[in-house]
Amino acid sequence: MAGAGISTPSGIPDFRSPGSGLYDNLQQYDLPYAEAIFEINFFHRNPKPFFALAKELYPGNYQPNLTHYFIRLLHQKGLLLRMYTQNIDGLERLAGIPPKMLVEAHGTFATATCTVCRRNYEGDDLRPDVMSGTVPKCPTCTGVVKPDIVFFGEELPQHFFKYLTDFPLADLLIIMGTSLEVEPFASLSGAVRSSVPRLLINRDLVGPFAWRSRRPHDVVQLGDVVSGVQALADALGWTQELDALMASAAEKASTKTEE
């Protein structure tokens, strides 16, 4: 399970950190309140603030960091059952984690849907409009095309409910970079069997880890998330493999940039 804290090392501001969080930096959009930018009713009235923010967050502006590649390494070793992420930045996909191994609980920019005729689009279809500051419109019906991000007031994607079968099968739950404040995502931390170890790699104690009734197998690594994941990779003897994976990805990224 992961939240915005795994993406802040890539340069993406998180949603709640005072002074640096996205909510604190939304004043320029003249919103009635910060959360309105992710409320579906407000979006239908005025989609411009969301698309101004989408220009900043759109996949391709940022690169994955060590935490994303650690999860990719878990997958390559056949150890990843699933990654549940709150993030909409697409860095998991960019790190090479296959979409079938991901549950993007709050949606994705990878696909989009017309809000009127429900025609489906690829996220890349919207990129020229988003990057030029234009609200994307459906050529079929002229409705606004919205990335498949889950807004307040919308239902979670159907595949979120994979947790009903995934979590009882897990033999370890790693929780990284999340405040565990947004439901129903936050409650997933309690969905594994009580005998299953849970490892929190986070800046602060959150959710059940902050309660007195912690489970006996809970383990906490507080501090910088990247340092915590690096320490885990070191303890597992995976540092060389992780470094090689990141070096290979950096080389591919630079080749792509040159092209």
Side-chain angles (χ1 to χ4, degrees):
M1 290 174 63
I6 74 163
S7 292
T8 49
S10 293
I12 298 176
D14 78 0
F15 285 88
R16 288 182 170 77
S17 292
S20 66
L22 281 177
Y23 281 159
D24 277 0
N25 297 329
L26 293 174
Q27 308 312 319
Q28 58 185 306
Y29 300 127
D30 199 23
L31 299 165
Y33 44 90
E35 288 85 352
I37 204 162
F38 288 117
E39 285 189 355
I40 194 62
N41 290 335
F42 182 83
F43 176 86
H44 288 317
R45 290 198 304 274
N46 181 12
K48 285 182 180 175
F50 170 77
F51 282 108
L53 181 65
K55 183 178 178 181
E56 167 71 17
L57 289 180
Y58 223 72
N61 291 348
Y62 299 94
Q63 294 302 313
N65 62 64
L66 182 141
T67 59
H68 301 96
Y69 287 110
F70 176 78
I71 298 156
R72 157 98 178 265
L73 192 55
L74 282 176
H75 167 63
Q76 285 183 193
K77 288 178 174 291
L79 297 170
L80 182 67
L81 174 59
R82 201 91 57 201
M83 181 186 186
Y84 284 71
T85 178
Q86 292 173 284
N87 299 334
I88 58 174
D89 50 47
L91 293 184
E92 297 89 0
R93 291 177 183 234
L94 205 53
I97 302 165
K100 68 177 183 182
M101 302 306 293
L102 292 170
V103 169
E104 293 156 316
H106 296 164
T108 176
F109 279 109
T111 54
T113 306
C114 174
T115 53
V116 178
C117 73
R118 311 308 294 168
R119 180 177 162 185
N120 296 324
Y121 293 87
E122 292 299 314
D124 283 344
D125 297 341
L126 277 61
R127 176 179 284 279
D129 280 344
V130 171
M131 291 302 153
S132 66
T134 306
V135 173
K137 295 285 179 70
C138 174
T140 304
C141 75
T142 72
V144 173
V145 180
K146 173 184 159 295
D148 291 335
I149 305 299
V150 180
F151 279 48
F152 296 119
E154 289 190 302
E155 290 183 6
L156 290 178
Q158 200 55 40
H159 59 271
F160 175 78
F161 299 97
K162 278 196 173 107
Y163 84 85
L164 292 167
T165 49
D166 281 349
F167 277 66
L169 293 173
D171 52 21
L172 170 66
L173 175 61
I174 303 173
I175 302 169
M176 302 190 289
T178 173
S179 61
L180 286 183
E181 285 181 2
V182 178
E183 294 292 358
F185 187 89
S187 294
L188 295 181
S189 61
V192 288
R193 290 165 290 135
S194 58
S195 59
V196 168
R198 299 183 298 184
L199 169 60
L200 176 72
I201 303 175
N202 213 40
R203 199 175 51 195
D204 307 299
L205 288 173
V206 293
F209 296 90
W211 306 339
R212 284 185 185 172
S213 57
R214 272 188 18 205
R215 294 180 181 179
H217 301 298
D218 285 350
V219 179
V220 170
Q221 171 87 15
L222 289 184
D224 172 67
V225 173
V226 168
S227 300
V229 173
Q230 180 73 70
L232 178 56
D234 292 347
L236 291 164
W238 294 358
T239 303
Q240 274 189 304
E241 286 174 274
L242 187 54
D243 288 348
L245 187 59
M246 291 178 69
S248 167
E251 194 178 323
K252 280 181 189 164
S254 66
T255 307
K256 201 171 180 184
T257 306
E258 285 166 16
E259 286 171 2

